[in-house]
Amino acid sequence: MDITKVTTLVQALLNIAQEQGFNGLTITSLTKLIYLADVYYARKNNGETYSGTEWKFHHFGPYSYQLSEYIENKIPNVRVETGETHNQGHSFKLIKLSDYSKTSTMQDTQLGIGITSTLQSNVKSFSGSLNSLLEYVYFHTEPMKGATPGDKLDFTKCEVINIKDFQKPASKNKTSDKVKEGKRLLASLKAKKDKKKSILGDYTPPKYDDHYNQSHILFDKTEDKISDHIANLTFET
């Protein structure tokens, strides 16, 4: 376990919690947040963890005896308070900062903006909702997949995110075959539209002469619902 990194990360997470208005973090929540930091870091660093902690599947998820003991007893500017839940009477340990002004920040961890912003969101989402946090680390993190109680968790399972996996977008002066094909289809559709417009433009409406008008007058005068009429029309040519 990297003592310096763990100290910095613990203080930074407690710093975030205080900024968001939370009165410290339980030892369980804090431990699971450090685990998530290791998962996020491993995804970008080929399975290497940030804290260097050895994690095991213990009871309801990832746990480290070494990390828990260190948080409770050896991190400077941190104090531990014991409390009980209101409804069930269960005891818990709340980790708080002794002096907010002398703590490390997320920037000090050098984890990068992607990981630190995700952790900030995690603190906001899961503080006060331990069950949701436990469910998330249990079902939605790679090291827990396929693990059984007592197993050492394998962070090389984490999906590796590598900048080389992203393709460089085509430059403007190099048109791909797909773009060329798209332009050809657009040109074809435009040609068909112009041709149709040209045909409609050449259309000459019919001329309604006197014979046509007289036939309609005859129909109007002889229309009868109870009798049939046949009109004999002749047209001069």
Side-chain angles (χ1 to χ4, degrees):
M1 185 175 71
D2 190 317
I3 301 300
T4 301
K5 287 184 176 180
V6 169
T7 299
T8 303
L9 182 56
V10 167
Q11 290 183 349
L13 287 168
L14 292 173
N15 195 308
I16 290 174
Q18 186 159 327
E19 287 179 349
Q20 294 182 359
F22 299 108
N23 187 26
L25 294 170
T26 65
I27 184 65
T28 303
S29 295
L30 185 55
T31 301
K32 299 301 184 282
L33 288 168
I34 295 171
Y35 165 78
L36 286 178
D38 276 351
V39 170
Y40 303 148
Y41 188 85
R43 288 173 180 171
K44 292 187 175 183
N45 294 275
N46 299 307
E48 179 185 348
T49 63
Y50 176 79
S51 71
T53 301
E54 181 178 286
W55 295 94
K56 289 187 176 182
F57 185 168
H58 178 69
H59 291 314
F60 302 108
Y63 186 76
S64 168
Y65 291 99
Q66 182 185 19
L67 178 64
S68 181
E69 182 181 356
Y70 181 74
I71 291 174
E72 291 184 39
N73 301 308
K74 298 181 180 180
I75 294 185
N77 201 27
V78 165
R79 71 177 188 273
V80 181
E81 294 183 1
T82 302
E84 289 186 357
T85 56
H86 295 292
N87 297 329
Q88 299 176 340
H90 295 161
S91 62
F92 62 89
K93 294 179 180 179
L94 191 65
I95 312 299
K96 294 183 177 182
L97 293 174
S98 301
D99 189 344
Y100 174 75
S101 63
K102 295 181 180 180
T103 58
S104 301
T105 64
M106 270 296 165
Q107 187 174 0
D108 296 324
T109 65
Q110 299 182 345
L111 282 168
I113 186 64
I115 295 177
T116 57
S117 60
T118 303
L119 287 172
Q120 287 176 328
S121 178
N122 291 155
V123 172
K124 184 176 182 180
S125 300
F126 297 127
S127 291
S129 182
L130 180 59
N131 287 338
S132 297
L133 177 56
L134 293 176
E135 180 181 339
Y136 182 75
V137 299
Y138 192 99
F139 292 107
H140 301 285
T141 57
E142 298 93 325
M144 287 294 296
K145 293 180 180 178
T148 57
D151 286 352
K152 178 181 176 181
L153 298 183
D154 182 7
F155 285 79
T156 62
K157 293 180 179 179
C158 293
E159 181 181 354
V160 177
I161 301 175
N162 196 317
I163 191 64
K164 293 180 181 179
D165 295 335
F166 296 92
Q167 296 293 329
K168 183 179 179 181
S171 59
K172 294 182 179 180
N173 60 345
K174 293 183 180 179
T175 307
S176 67
D177 292 338
K178 289 185 178 180
V179 174
K180 287 181 180 179
E181 180 65 13
K183 288 184 177 180
R184 187 190 67 78
L185 291 174
L186 286 175
S188 176
L189 290 172
K190 185 177 185 300
K192 290 181 180 179
K193 181 178 179 181
D194 291 342
K195 183 178 180 181
K196 183 177 180 181
K197 184 177 180 182
S198 177
I199 293 173
L200 292 174
D202 294 338
Y203 172 73
T204 303
K207 294 182 179 180
Y208 302 108
D209 56 15
D210 291 338
H211 293 290
Y212 177 85
N213 293 328
Q214 288 174 9
S215 69
H216 273 275
I217 293 172
L218 179 61
F219 277 121
D220 291 338
K221 288 182 178 181
T222 59
E223 185 179 10
D224 191 335
K225 295 182 179 179
I226 62 174
S227 62
D228 296 326
H229 300 276
I230 298 175
N232 295 314
L233 304 177
T234 59
F235 296 92
E236 296 178 358
T237 59

